[in-house]
Amino acid sequence: MNLTFIQPPQVEWASGALAKGPLLRKSTRIQDLIEVFADEPARQQLAGEHVVYDVEMLATSSAEGELYTGVTHLYPGHVGGEYFMTRGHFHARREQGEVYFGLRGKGLLLLQNEHGQARLENVFAGSIHIIPGFTAHRLINTGNEVLSALAVWPAIAGHDYAALAKGFTLRVFEENQQILVREVQNG
Ligand code: PA5
Ligand code: NI
């Protein structure tokens, strides 16, 4: 029997680079993150074109029951002392969870439930993060290198950014070369 073997997509674990599949890419820049950081005037002082994070994902089926796979590359940097981070979101379908796998770099995963209760998990090469349903999530790069994390989530989950328009209840800053976590009231 003359079988041909399908060549699947690939991830290079050390860098998170995806290959061998139709891919979708999106860059999020300083100019896209209006009022995401605590110090909005500081954000406006930065070059708007500067990329804060890139997301690369496999262009796979969006049908119910299918899974999406993507890698976030979050670059090092600060806005007014606050570490670069993703916008963060709840899933539009709140009950849907997600799994993140740390690939390289050093950072935090900020998780927050619908009551505004937040917690932080260390992200590093090899870390596994089970994000339950009803839980908003945001990556924060606390290192000097790119932080890359692989994510797998239900195609039907969707993103709800508006629910967090007032931000998360925790913010993470660098002060005197230390990580400083501040609680915010408006969350
Ligand atoms: O599905 C996810 O949670 C990730 O792929 C994120 O979408 C990615 O990290 C970018 O973050 P955000 O969608 O909050 O801008
Ligand atoms: Ni998500």
Side-chain angles (χ1 to χ4, degrees):
M1 199 165 146
N2 212 353
L3 270 182
T4 53
F5 299 113
I6 295 162
Q7 195 59 32
Q10 287 169 226
V11 60
E12 192 182 274
W13 294 114
S15 68
L18 293 174
K20 302 265 166 53
L23 300 176
L24 298 171
R25 291 195 179 86
K26 185 182 173 208
S27 296
T28 299
R29 300 166 193 275
I30 286 286
Q31 67 202 13
D32 302 318
L33 296 171
I34 299 165
E35 288 181 350
V36 167
F37 294 91
D39 190 344
E40 175 60 15
R43 187 195 65 83
Q44 290 173 14
Q45 294 298 310
L46 299 174
E49 286 297 312
H50 186 89
V51 175
V52 178
Y53 56 101
D54 286 316
V55 177
E56 200 171 50
M57 65 178 277
L58 301 177
T60 50
S61 165
S62 60
E64 178 156 8
E66 305 291 345
L67 298 169
Y68 281 146
T69 303
V71 178
T72 299
H73 302 285
L74 175 60
Y75 300 103
H78 306 91
V79 177
E82 190 172 9
Y83 291 110
F84 273 11
M85 59 194 183
T86 57
R87 184 184 295 278
H89 58 268
F90 278 104
H91 289 153
R93 286 275 302 266
R94 287 287 193 281
E95 79 285 5
Q96 300 291 319
E98 184 161 357
V99 185
Y100 275 28
F101 303 88
L103 298 178
R104 65 172 170 176
K106 174 172 132 22
L108 294 165
L109 177 64
L110 174 55
L111 299 168
Q112 181 167 312
N113 68 20
E114 292 185 297
H115 308 291
Q117 291 159 334
R119 61 190 190 276
L120 290 159
E121 293 185 357
N122 273 316
V123 184
F124 52 89
S127 63
I128 301 174
H129 309 271
I130 308 295
I131 303 171
F134 305 96
T135 306
H137 38 287
R138 158 180 280 171
L139 277 173
I140 302 166
N141 188 344
T142 58
N144 301 318
E145 311 290 334
V146 58
L147 174 69
S148 297
L150 174 71
V152 180
W153 68 100
I156 54 156
H159 296 87
D160 179 355
Y161 296 103
L164 277 161
K166 285 197 205 145
F168 286 68
T169 55
L170 295 181
R171 288 188 174 277
V172 185
F173 297 84
E174 183 171 274
E175 213 172 84
N176 303 322
Q177 288 155 6
Q178 305 260 50
I179 296 173
L180 179 77
V181 179
R182 291 209 176 107
E183 270 190 76
V184 265
Q185 297 313 316
N186 67 355

